[in-house]
Amino acid sequence: MNDKFKLLQEIETEIKICTKCPLYKTSNCSVAGEGFYDAELVFIGEAPGASEDKTGKPFVGLAGKLLNKNLDSIKITRKDIWIGNIIKHRPPENRNPSIQEIKACETYLKRQLDIIKPKLIVTLGKFALNFFLPETVLSESHGKLLTKADLNIYPIYHPAAALRNGEFKKAFVQDFLQIPAIIETISSKNN
Ligand code: URA
């Protein structure tokens, strides 16, 4: 079995029995993340919602449908990417995750990204952006390639925010269309 795949599976097993914060008590199941273990492109969201909590899979609800539609627009499929969240159990009523919950969960995503080593991390919404770059403001930085240590980070609005607000939707779609060019820029820098 591929080493990266196996290591990711081991983390998923740990997440399933995680009690580092109280969210395991109020959620139905964990959502570790899913996709290609060797993906160049990774999407990071905030936390599972109701549909994700039912299925154990990330972005399978309405926000996920909008994400899939925009992936189609750049001819990328969910099989090509890896997708996960900063929080692995659903916060009750989809409330914002607390600082303590983010801290308790952070080791999982850091380890997952260390294994996958993506070329580009697309953060969806403020919480995912601030996980990597705590001081960065989403409204000023969306659609711009940022770096932190050896990570390339491309912040865009969260698809759930895009569903609620026409301006955010416009920015989400435009920023999404730039993703192939951003990957190209990173590849040419690395060569
Ligand atoms: N919103 C998120 O941030 N993540 C999901 O997995 C689903 C909805």
Side-chain angles (χ1 to χ4, degrees):
M1 202 191 298
N2 180 285
D3 276 355
K4 285 189 169 199
F5 181 76
K6 197 166 147 255
L7 289 168
L8 287 173
Q9 273 198 325
E10 281 169 16
I11 298 176
E12 184 163 351
T13 305
E14 283 179 50
I15 292 170
K16 277 195 179 122
I17 54 164
C18 182
T19 57
K20 286 182 203 270
C21 86
L23 291 179
Y24 74 95
K25 293 183 195 163
T26 48
S27 55
N28 173 55
C29 67
S30 58
V31 182
E34 70 170 12
F36 183 31
Y37 54 80
D38 216 12
E40 284 193 345
L41 176 61
V42 155
F43 285 79
I44 305 299
E46 182 180 319
S51 311
E52 293 75 23
D53 187 49
K54 267 194 206 121
T55 57
K57 293 179 182 302
F59 285 97
V60 291
L62 286 179
K65 292 209 165 45
L66 183 61
L67 189 70
N68 292 347
K69 190 173 160 200
N70 283 270
L71 282 169
D72 274 355
S73 77
I74 56 168
K75 308 214 165 5
I76 289 177
T77 74
R78 293 271 293 238
K79 286 202 177 78
D80 302 321
I81 64 167
W82 189 86
I83 185 159
N85 289 301
I86 61 171
I87 294 283
K88 309 302 192 187
H89 283 97
R90 182 190 185 205
E93 313 299 329
N94 297 346
R95 65 156 169 74
N96 290 340
S98 70
I99 292 167
Q100 291 83 351
E101 288 157 0
I102 294 171
K103 200 86 207 132
C105 217
E106 78 178 353
T107 170
Y108 296 125
L109 181 58
K110 284 190 172 163
R111 286 165 58 203
Q112 287 170 319
L113 294 173
D114 262 0
I115 294 164
I116 301 167
K117 299 203 189 315
K119 207 173 254 181
L120 182 63
I121 298 170
V122 178
T123 57
L124 302 168
K126 161 182 156 44
F127 283 91
L129 168 60
N130 292 152
F131 177 85
F132 297 100
L133 297 162
E135 305 298 329
T136 308
V137 178
L138 180 58
S139 58
E140 293 164 4
S141 62
H142 72 90
K144 294 179 187 156
L145 177 62
L146 309 174
T147 53
K148 163 127 185 220
D150 55 348
L151 302 178
N152 290 301
I153 296 159
Y154 183 66
I156 66 174
Y157 283 107
H158 194 289
L163 286 170
R164 285 193 300 265
N165 176 309
E167 286 302 307
F168 292 165
K169 171 104 180 260
K170 217 160 108 189
F172 176 81
V173 170
Q174 273 172 5
D175 293 344
F176 217 101
L177 287 171
Q178 296 308 312
I179 291 173
I182 300 281
I183 295 175
E184 204 48 53
T185 307
I186 298 166
S187 302
S188 58
K189 264 196 219 146
N190 294 345
N191 286 333

